[in-house]
């Protein structure tokens, strides 16, 4: 599942070029006329679609956070539907789930399920979806790192809320597969995998396709699966283990927005996805 539509509208074309230019030159290094030229319209013509650069930035950063969460929830629903009725026979490696997927009361939350879903296949699907994002939307990773603080407070808090919910969706699935692993450690593993996958801005320029994309995708997939598989190794859940910092903050309300931390940050409960800087 891609994070983008197959046939972009003019508005989406503008956002794509704005993301590329902002990532390459910085938000203040790009003018409206340059964004317009990149999509073949006059600078003033952009105002028919956006109030200005600030509006573009907000839609880019809020939009991708929402699409990632929506994509993850869709995969959860598909896994639950594929599991069939509650009385379906459970095969080896299939975990029965009886907890809430998504934040309680959140729009689009999958809700309580009693189905025996294939959690390994669901995790693989989540990994594939995030790889699509990391390869197709590399400019947004850099843009999120550098420009998030330029958003108005309400938009910045919304981004953090969406990202926290996305992280917790992954944590739920990981703990289904590795129930012996403490929640903090599972969350730490999710942050680590996001850090690995979100390293793609270092692979080349933001414009065009990556050379050897198929091989890069396959490598990222193997590395992500390997990182999660380490949770099953003997001694992986030892005292003071991986993820302790992530668990030190309260996670009773992963969708809370207290304004602390920085999205795409260090990997704590307030900083859901690791930060990257392009050298």
């Amino acid at each position: 599942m891609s994070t983008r539509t197959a046939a972009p509208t003019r508005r989406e074309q503008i956002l794509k070029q704005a993301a590329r230019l902002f990532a390459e030159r910085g938000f203040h290094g790009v003018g409206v006329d340059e964004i317009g030229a990149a999509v073949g319209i006059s600078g003033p013509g952009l105002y028919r679609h956006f109030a200005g650069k600030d509006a573009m930035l907000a839609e880019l950063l809020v939009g991708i956070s929402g699409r990632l969460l929506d994509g993850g929830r869709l995969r959860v629903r598909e896994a639950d539907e594929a599991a069939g009725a509650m009385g379906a026979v459970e095969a080896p490696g299939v975990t029965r789930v009886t907890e809430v997927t998504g934040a309680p009361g959140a729009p689009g939350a999958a809700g309580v399920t009693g189905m025996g879903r294939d959690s390994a296949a669901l995790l693989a699907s989540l990994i594939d979806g995030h790889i699509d994002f990391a390869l197709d939307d590399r400019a947004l990773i850099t843009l999120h790192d550098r420009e998030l603080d330029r958003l108005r407070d309400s938009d910045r808090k919304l981004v953090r809320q969406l990202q926290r919910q996305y992280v917790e969706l992954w944590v739920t699935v990981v703990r289904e597969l590795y129930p012996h692993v403490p929640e903090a450690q599972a969350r730490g593993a999710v942050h680590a995998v996001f850090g690995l996958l979100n390293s793609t801005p270092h692979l080349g320029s933001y414009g065009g396709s990556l050379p050897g994309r198929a091989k890069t995708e396959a490598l990222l997939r193997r590395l992500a699966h390997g990182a999660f598989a380490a949770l099953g190794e003997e001694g992986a859940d030892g005292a003071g283990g991986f993820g302790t910092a992530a668990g030190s903050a309260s996670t009773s309300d992963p969708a809370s927005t207290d304004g602390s931390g920085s999205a795409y940050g260090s990997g704590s409960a307030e900083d859901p996805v690791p930060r990257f800087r392009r050298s």
Side-chain angles (χ1 to χ4, degrees):
M1 181 193 314
S2 175
T3 55
R4 299 179 298 186
T5 59
T9 64
R10 175 54 63 115
R11 186 180 181 90
E12 289 167 338
Q13 291 172 350
I14 293 170
L15 288 173
K16 179 180 178 180
Q17 293 303 320
R20 178 182 64 81
L21 290 169
F22 291 159
E24 289 176 347
R25 305 182 195 175
F27 182 75
H28 287 306
V30 178
V32 170
D33 289 342
E34 293 172 280
I35 298 172
V39 293
I41 62 177
S42 66
L46 287 180
Y47 292 107
R48 292 196 295 269
H49 302 276
F50 296 96
K53 291 198 305 177
D54 289 331
M56 295 180 206
L57 182 65
E59 186 157 335
L60 284 166
L61 299 186
V62 174
I64 189 56
S65 298
R67 291 196 298 277
L68 283 171
L69 179 58
D70 288 345
R73 285 175 172 166
L74 176 59
R75 287 176 168 83
V76 169
R77 288 196 297 272
E78 290 173 344
D80 288 342
E81 291 169 0
M86 291 179 63
V89 177
E90 295 180 351
V94 176
T95 305
R96 181 171 293 282
V97 182
T98 56
E99 54 190 87
V100 174
T101 55
V112 177
T113 112
M115 303 180 185
R117 68 187 180 202
D118 187 342
S119 300
L122 175 53
L123 182 60
S125 179
L126 289 172
I127 290 171
D128 285 348
H130 200 92
I131 288 173
D132 281 344
F133 153 69
L135 293 177
D136 294 339
D137 293 295
R138 289 174 293 138
L140 291 180
I141 297 174
T142 297
L143 184 60
H144 215 308
D145 172 36
R146 294 177 178 172
E147 312 294 353
L148 178 69
D149 290 342
R150 300 192 188 280
L151 295 183
R152 60 184 181 180
D153 287 346
S154 59
D155 287 332
R156 187 167 58 251
K157 290 179 179 179
L158 177 57
V159 167
R160 289 170 176 159
Q161 179 186 36
L162 293 168
Q163 291 177 349
R164 288 184 183 113
Q165 292 179 51
Y166 183 60
V167 169
E168 294 309 307
L169 185 150
W170 280 64
V171 171
T172 295
V173 176
V174 169
R175 294 200 75 205
E176 290 169 14
L177 281 174
Y178 304 102
H180 68 287
V181 173
E183 181 178 343
Q185 189 170 340
R187 187 172 294 105
V190 171
H191 293 316
V193 169
F194 285 168
L196 185 158
L197 299 180
N198 290 350
S199 65
T200 52
H202 298 282
L203 298 180
S205 62
Y206 299 110
S209 301
L210 283 173
R213 180 195 164 102
K215 290 183 178 179
T216 301
E217 180 179 346
L219 175 61
L220 291 173
R221 184 179 296 112
R222 289 195 303 272
L223 292 172
H225 281 283
F228 285 126
L231 290 173
E233 296 177 0
E234 184 176 359
D237 56 345
F242 180 48
T244 302
S248 62
S250 171
T251 57
S252 59
D253 182 11
S256 65
T257 53
D258 58 5
S260 62
S262 168
Y264 290 148
S266 59
S268 70
E270 291 84 11
D271 303 338
V273 185
R275 183 180 293 271
F276 293 92
R277 295 200 179 277
R278 186 176 174 82
S279 57

